[in-house]
């Protein structure tokens, strides 16, 4: 990986080296085949867990690695150089684990976190619904209190890992309309009433399943609720702050891989009596790609430091970083495909897969239009 490393600590450099070795040995050689076969490599994910990559932010006493958000963006950028699809799923899994570690009680943490950190159980995040995507506060899935249980009914849409995951953090309405009436629950795959839609046919991210999660009168103990009633929307949004950084970092890693491949390709190809790499017009294109990635990386790291420091501006910075890094990552990957010429359009070269994988990053964890809304609200709130 050619990322700028001058500001990293020795521990972070060592973390990057271990993660890069894993990405290049365990992910990169298989990424195209997994994409074509729509194969979700559970064995490889569990190998990642053995390196501490399935509980990145979870406290050590709960079986996690206890790393910071600044460490995490480094992990996910590096993983994505091997396969953005698997790195993206691991980002979501880690978001789920963090939410339980942050908002779960001692009993919940002891029951679920060791399983998540070892990847003996996988996690999925269930907020979006068929009629509530960007307007998440309008969700309709309900959780009716019945004695010491809740009964959940509704449908969640576009759920990464669905069907393969064992634990689902589900946002459901327990009260009035709007964000204040939403609570968070942990649902298990084998709970009666849980079923899944067909695996969606997608443009990218084919190495992980995406399905509906259907909740048909799913009865869960009250002890499966995370936090208090009405806290669910706040929990969901706080989870997404970190999730947005994870996806932003995955865009950086995928785009960096595409840039590195472009350098090698242009060095090997000749046209008009010389190496393509020596053509100044192409050098300028490469320079712009590297510059834009460096700028995006700096913003992602700034946002991660803000989140680590509980800066009040952190949510806005996370939105900025997610918008800028995912737009930049996609643009760089698309430019890399162009630099490869016809070879970039062939699946065996892996560039078109990176382009397809990175396109969805501009949509998930909050569309980039919603990121602009978050930033604009922060800028104008004192003028209302």
């Amino acid at each position: 990986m050619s990322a700028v490393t001058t500001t990293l600590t020795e521990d972070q450099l060592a973390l990057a080296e271990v993660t890069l070795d894993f990405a290049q040995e365990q992910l990169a050689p298989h990424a195209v085949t997994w994409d074509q076969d729509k194969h979700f490599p559970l064995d490889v994910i569990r190998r990642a867990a053995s390196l501490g990559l399935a509980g990145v932010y979870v406290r050590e006493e709960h079986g996690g690695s206890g790393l910071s958000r600044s460490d995490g963006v480094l992990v996910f950028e590096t993983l994505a150089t091997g396969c953005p699809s698997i790195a993206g799923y691991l980002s979501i899994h880690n978001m789920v684990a963090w939410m339980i570690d942050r908002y779960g009680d001692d009993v919940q943490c002891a029951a679920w976190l060791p399983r998540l950190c070892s990847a003996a159980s996988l996690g999925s995040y269930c907020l979006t619904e068929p009629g509530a995507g960007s307007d998440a506060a309008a969700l309709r899935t309900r959780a009716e209190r019945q004695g010491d249980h809740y009964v959940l009914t509704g449908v969640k849409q576009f759920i990464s890992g669905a069907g393969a995951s064992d634990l689902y953090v589900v946002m459901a309405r327990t009260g009035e309309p709007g964000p204040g009436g939403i609570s968070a629950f942990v649902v298990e795959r084998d709970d009666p009433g849980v079923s899944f839609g067909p695996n969606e046919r997608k443009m990218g991210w084919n190495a992980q399943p995406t399905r509906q999660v259907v909740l048909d009168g799913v009865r869960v103990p009250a002890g499966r609720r995370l936090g208090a009633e009405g806290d669910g929307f706040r929990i969901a949004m706080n989870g997404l702050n970190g999730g947005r950084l994870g996806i932003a970092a995955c865009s950086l890693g995928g785009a960096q891989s595409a840039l590195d491949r472009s350098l090698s390709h242009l060095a090997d190809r000749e046209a008009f009596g010389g190496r393509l790499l020596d053509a100044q017009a192409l050098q300028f294109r490469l320079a712009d790609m590297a510059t834009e990635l460096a700028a995006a990386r700096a913003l992602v790291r700034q946002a991660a430091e803000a989140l680590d420091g509980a800066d009040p501006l952190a949510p806005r910075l996370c939105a900025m970083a997610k918008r800028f890094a995912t737009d930049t990552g996609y643009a760089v990957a698309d430019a890399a495909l162009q630099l490869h010429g016809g070879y970039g359009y062939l699946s065996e070269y892996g560039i078109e897969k990176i382009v397809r994988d990175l396109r969805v990053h501009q949509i998930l964890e909050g569309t980039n239009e919603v990121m602009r809304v978050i930033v604009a609200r922060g800028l104008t709130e004192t003028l209302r």
Side-chain angles (χ1 to χ4, degrees), residues 9-75:
T9 67
E10 289 187 9
D11 286 345
Q12 287 175 325
L13 287 170
L15 176 65
E17 183 177 358
V18 169
T19 309
L20 183 60
D21 286 345
F22 180 86
Q24 296 308 306
E25 293 172 7
Q26 301 290 330
L27 302 182
H30 312 290
V32 170
T33 301
W34 291 339
D35 175 75
Q36 293 173 343
D37 295 344
K38 295 181 171 56
H39 175 66
F40 190 38
L42 297 177
D43 56 335
V44 176
I45 289 172
R46 293 191 174 109
R47 282 178 222 151
S50 71
L51 298 176
L53 303 182
V56 172
Y57 311 116
V58 174
R59 287 170 288 177
E60 292 182 22
E61 58 263 36
H62 293 150
S65 299
L67 299 181
S68 66
R69 297 293 180 177
S70 297
D71 298 326
V73 295
L74 181 62
V75 164

Side-chain angles (χ1 to χ4, degrees), residues 47 54 86 149 155 179 202 248 283 293 319 324 342 351 360:
R47 282 178 222 151
I86 297 304
H149 285 74
V155 177
K202 308 187 295 288
Q283 290 179 350
L293 274 181
F324 188 67
I351 296 295
V360 76

Side-chain angles (χ1 to χ4, degrees), residues 209-226:
T210 301
R211 294 183 168 96
Q212 285 188 338
V213 177
V214 181
L215 307 164
D216 184 9
V218 179
R219 187 176 179 85
V220 300
R224 297 261 205 96
R225 190 188 67 222
L226 284 180

Side-chain angles (χ1 to χ4, degrees), residues 319-376:
M320 288 180 176
K322 194 270 179 181
R323 200 289 298 168
F324 188 67
T326 58
D327 282 351
T328 298
Y330 179 73
V332 167
D334 188 60
L337 191 154
Q338 188 72 17
L339 289 173
H340 276 73
Y343 294 99
Y345 206 64
L346 300 180
S347 61
E348 66 190 90
Y349 282 76
I351 296 295
E352 61 86 31
K353 175 196 177 297
I354 294 174
V355 172
R356 289 186 288 106
D357 281 349
L358 297 196
R359 181 60 183 87
V360 76
H361 294 192
Q362 297 169 292
I363 298 171
L364 55 81
E365 310 291 44
T367 67
N368 284 1
E369 289 73 21
V370 169
M371 297 306 98
R372 291 177 172 91
V373 169
I374 293 170
V375 174

Side-chain angles (χ1 to χ4, degrees), residues 88-123:
Y89 173 74
L90 278 167
S91 172
I92 294 167
H93 171 90
N94 274 279
M95 177 173 66
V96 169
W98 175 84
M99 292 168 73
I100 293 173
D101 186 58
R102 173 66 178 81
Y103 295 104
D105 59 31
D106 290 343
V107 173
Q108 292 169 333
C109 288
W112 297 318
L113 288 178
R115 294 159 52 189
L116 289 170
C117 292
S118 67
S121 294
L122 300 182

Side-chain angles (χ1 to χ4, degrees), residues 238-260:
N238 287 342
L240 281 176
N241 287 331
R244 286 164 182 160
L245 291 183
I247 292 304
C250 289
S251 288
L252 296 177
Q256 185 67 56
S257 176
L259 173 56
D260 292 343

Side-chain angles (χ1 to χ4, degrees), residues 157-162 197-200 202 205 208-212:
Q157 183 79 16
F158 303 132
I159 306 305
S160 294
N199 194 5
E200 302 287 1
K202 308 187 295 288
W205 268 31
Q208 55 166 291
T210 301
R211 294 183 168 96
Q212 285 188 338

